[in-house]
Structures are given as structure tokens and as C-alpha cells.
Amino acid sequence: MQREKAPEKVVAFPFYKKLLPLAACFLILVVGSFIVQNMLSEPSKPLEHTAPNIVSYDTGKDLSNALGFGVKQIGKL
């Protein structure tokens, strides 16, 4: 019994399908470089830090009235 050889088929891909993996890698490199460049660059203007209006109260009763709920008086810190 001899095995018959299967006919060898050569499927030729179009030229653009041969270049698709290369184009995808190039696109990943370009997009990655833009992302890294934006992450490393300094902001154009400095960040502004804002703080809320800080109010000081002398007693716990004054603070309780301002907050709307009870606060215990602290003896010493």
C-alpha cells in the first residue's frame, strides 16, 4: 500500500496582507511614543492649590452651632 501524496497547495497572500503585522507594530510604537511623551512632559501652567476658607471657633459650643451638630469641648492638645 502506497500512500498517495496530497497535492501541495501554495496559497499566495496579497502583498498588503504580508505588511499588516508590520504596520500594526509600527502603529503601536507611534501611539505608545505619544502617550509616553504626554506623560513625561510638564504641564504648561503650574497647578493651583486652593484651600477652603478656614474658620476658627473659640469654644465647642460655637463650633456646634456652626456645624449644626454637637461637638465635645477638648481640654488640651
Side-chain angles (χ1 to χ4, degrees):
M1 287 174 72
Q2 282 186 338
R3 289 187 180 175
E4 291 184 28
K5 273 191 165 181
E8 293 183 25
K9 291 185 179 181
V10 177
V11 178
F13 285 103
F15 183 70
Y16 71 92
K17 284 190 178 181
K18 292 179 183 178
L19 294 180
L20 279 178
L22 180 64
C25 290
F26 181 72
L27 184 65
I28 290 172
L29 286 174
V30 169
V31 170
S33 68
F34 280 117
I35 290 172
V36 169
Q37 180 183 7
N38 287 338
M39 288 173 54
L40 295 178
S41 66
E42 293 184 23
S44 57
K45 62 179 182 177
L47 299 175
E48 295 180 17
H49 297 282
T50 59
N53 294 334
I54 298 174
V55 180
S56 178
Y57 295 99
D58 294 329
T59 64
K61 186 174 182 179
D62 293 339
L63 181 59
S64 295
N65 291 336
L67 293 176
F69 57 88
V71 178
K72 293 181 181 179
Q73 181 70 32
I74 299 174
K76 291 183 181 179
L77 291 179

